[in-house]
């Protein structure tokens, strides 16, 4: 009796061990994993029914089947279905839109991704998932049209463009210039209209401007700005470096900059100052002058610029300067402003109000205030002896902001007058010419407003 009882106990325990062990095996085994497949859809919530949708399905034990459906109010269309022979741990899909997209009238649809894994869990049926993604359908490209623009642009010069851009889901709007430059337009006058100044960099042999609009669904529209290109010639000057200049101004400047520390020899120092120091100074100027505000432009009226009274031009904008010593080429640079001189320490009075965005020492430019006038237009004043305004100040028309001098890389007392459009130096002479401003800025704005008011 006792033996039999013992025997049945052993049997019972063994049975329990098998059941518990089996349960534990099932519970911990990869064969019986209980995690549903993971579905990822690369989407920002919009689809143009043109580009394929990227879908990733992954699972620990492996995906054995999947289905992708497009569900509208009326119907459900299978876009993809596959039952695999061998399960895969991860699957990348490019789901093409249905062939007849014109039949899809809904603005909002659902994409349903169903997937099943090969796990033996769930009475051998495996784990399944059905992920639902809501998408806004946008098949239409943004609508772009040029309303008004300057008739021409000169090499090194400025132009203005006003255009209309319409789209419910606009993502990015800009004007592509040279070197992938993106001019940022500002809203103009009434809803749907935009305005931007453009600039043709003086060192570039040609120029092209294209308005580009993209929407959330990836539709792209482009409108070419029809500008007549005037290839203005600029002077190339061959300049002989004198020992007096190298041992005087250059030796003095070399002590000042971190880039010239440890650089021996006046020619090497000159090269570093003319190239490395200049590049750093210009980079700061470009950064400061690239900023454009988002606010709507209702009016933009600039007065003819003439920051220095009774001044003479002592160096032109765009001069391509090549430097030689004893007949050997040393370095080169572009002069990106207009040099004006009158009396020593003459007062500098800009004719346009603005906001001071910088007022400090900037290497070769010496003491340099810089003013923002709106619409991405900036002016800068180099080599000043003293500056009367600080960063953040508002300045009025004809307010004295500084006195001329020879701080930085300047031989005699003068003003280096710079004008920039969204980070690009432009020909100051255009902004000093009332006829040019009337034709290229004021009339373009006037024409645009008339056109907009008629619509
Ligand atoms: Zn200059």
């Amino acid at each position: 009796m006792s033996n039999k009882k013992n025997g049945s106990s052993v049997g019972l325990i063994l049975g329990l061990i098998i059941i518990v062990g089996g349960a534990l095996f099932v519970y911990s085994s990869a064969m019986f994993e209980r995690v549903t497949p993971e579905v990822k859809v690369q989407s920002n919530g919009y689809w143009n029914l043109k580009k394929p949708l990227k879908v990733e399905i992954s699972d620990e034990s492996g995906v054995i089947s999947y289905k992708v459906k497009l569900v509208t109010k009326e119907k459900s269309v299978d876009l993809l279905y596959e039952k695999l022979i061998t399960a895969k741990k991860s699957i990348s899909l490019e789901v093409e839109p249905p062939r007849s997209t014109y039949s899809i009238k809904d603005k909002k649809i659902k994409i349903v991704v169903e997937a099943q894994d090969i796990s033996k869990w769930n009475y051998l049926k495996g784990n399944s998932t059905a992920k639902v993604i809501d998408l806004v359908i946008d098949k239409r490209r943004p609508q772009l049209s040029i309303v008004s623009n300057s008739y021409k642009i000169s090499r090194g010069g400025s132009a203005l463009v006003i255009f209309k851009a319409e789209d419910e889901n606009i993502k990015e709007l800009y004007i592509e210039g040279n070197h992938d430059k993106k001019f940022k337009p500002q809203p103009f006058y009434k809803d749907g209209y935009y305005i931007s100044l453009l600039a043709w960099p003086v060192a570039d042999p040609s120029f092209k401007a294209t308005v580009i609009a993209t929407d959330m669904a990836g539709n792209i529209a482009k409108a070419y700005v029809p500008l007549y290109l005037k290839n203005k010639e600029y002077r190339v000057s061959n300049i002989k470096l004198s020992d007096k200049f190298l041992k005087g101004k250059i030796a003095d400047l070399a002590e000042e900059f971190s880039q010239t520390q440890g650089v021996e020899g006046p020619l090497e120092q000159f090269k570093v100052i003319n190239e490395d120091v200049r590049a750093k100074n210009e980079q700061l100027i470009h950064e400061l002058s690239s900023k454009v505000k988002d606010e709507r432009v209702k009016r933009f009226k600039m007065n003819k610029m003439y920051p220095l009274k009774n001044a003479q031009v002592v160096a032109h904008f765009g001069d391509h300067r090549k430097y030689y010593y004893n007949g050997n080429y040393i370095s080169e640079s572009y002069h990106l402003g207009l040099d004006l001189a009158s009396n020593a320490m003459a007062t500098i009075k800009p004719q346009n109000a603005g906001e001071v965005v910088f007022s400090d020492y900037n290497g070769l430019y010496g003491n340099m205030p810089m003013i923002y006038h709106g619409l991405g237009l900036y002016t800068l004043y180099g080599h000043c002896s003293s500056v009367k305004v600080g960063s953040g100040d508002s300045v009025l028309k004809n307010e004295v902001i500084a006195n001329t001098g020879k701080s930085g890389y300047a031989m005699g007392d003068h003003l280096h007058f710079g004008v920039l459009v969204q980070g690009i130096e432009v020909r100051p002479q255009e902004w000093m010419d009332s006829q040019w401003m009337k034709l290229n800025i004021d009339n373009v704005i006037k024409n645009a407003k008339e056109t907009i008011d008629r619509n």
Side-chain angles (χ1 to χ4, degrees), residues 152-159 177-179 183 197-208 227-232 234 317 421 424-427 430:
K152 68 174 180 187
I153 187 167
S154 299
R155 179 171 167 185
S158 313
N178 289 3
H179 315 287
F183 292 98
L197 285 169
L198 305 170
W200 177 354
V202 69
D204 293 355
S206 190
F207 180 70
K208 194 178 168 187
L227 292 161
Y228 170 74
L229 303 184
K230 188 165 182 288
N231 194 1
K232 193 180 156 37
Y234 288 91
F317 171 84
V421 167
I424 297 171
E425 290 89 351
V426 291
R427 242 163 72 77
E430 290 183 339

Side-chain angles (χ1 to χ4, degrees), residues 11 14 63 97-98 129 143 146-147 191 197 214 227 237 259 265 297 314 320 333 371 389 414 425 427 429 434 437 443:
L14 266 175
V63 180
T129 190
Q143 302 291 298
I146 308 287
V147 176
D191 281 353
L197 285 169
T214 66
L227 292 161
S237 316
Q259 292 99 318
V297 176
V314 290
H320 189 178
S333 57
I371 301 175
V389 291
H414 75 276
E425 290 89 351
R427 242 163 72 77
Q429 288 96 328
S434 46
M437 288 169 74
N443 287 359

Side-chain angles (χ1 to χ4, degrees), residues 315 321 335 337-339 383 414-417:
R321 296 169 171 174
H335 184 239
L338 183 71
D339 287 353
H383 311 310
H414 75 276
L415 165 66
H416 173 98
F417 177 49

Side-chain angles (χ1 to χ4, degrees), residues 40-173:
K40 280 186 197 158
V41 178
Q42 209 183 76
S43 162
N44 63 352
Y46 295 83
W47 196 17
N48 61 4
L49 293 176
K50 287 184 195 102
K51 278 193 270 179
L53 271 184
K54 286 187 177 153
V55 176
E56 307 253 339
I57 310 171
S58 57
D59 187 83
E60 265 179 71
S61 60
V63 180
I64 194 67
S65 71
Y66 61 82
K67 185 190 253 186
V68 183
K69 293 189 289 188
L70 185 155
V71 181
T72 66
K73 264 183 228 144
E74 293 93 30
K75 60 184 175 185
S76 169
V77 186
D78 287 354
L79 300 178
L80 271 182
Y81 172 71
E82 192 181 5
K83 199 163 169 62
L84 290 91
I85 295 160
T86 335
K88 280 189 191 162
K89 291 212 176 224
S90 75
I91 296 171
S92 294
L93 301 171
E94 299 230 330
V95 184
E96 295 290 341
R99 230 163 262 167
S100 53
T101 58
Y102 60 87
S103 68
I104 296 165
K105 299 272 182 277
D106 297 22
K107 279 212 160 176
K108 286 179 180 173
I109 57 124
K110 289 181 198 301
I111 290 290
V112 181
V113 182
E114 294 171 355
Q116 189 160 38
D117 69 13
I118 200 174
S119 169
K120 298 277 185 272
W121 184 250
N122 204 12
Y123 306 102
L124 309 182
K125 281 189 287 188
N127 310 292
S128 59
T129 190
K131 180 157 181 156
V132 181
I133 301 110
D134 290 298
L135 291 178
V136 172
I137 297 299
D138 181 355
K139 293 185 270 189
R140 238 167 75 106
R141 288 192 309 174
Q143 302 291 298
L144 279 182
S145 49
I146 308 287
V147 176
S148 182
N149 60 269
S150 312
Y151 166 68
K152 68 174 180 187
I153 187 167
S154 299
R155 179 171 167 185
S158 313
L160 183 68
V161 62
I162 295 164
F163 61 94
K164 188 180 189 183
E166 285 175 302
D167 196 277
E168 281 170 24
N169 314 304
I170 217 141
K171 187 184 174 197
E172 215 187 350
L173 188 59

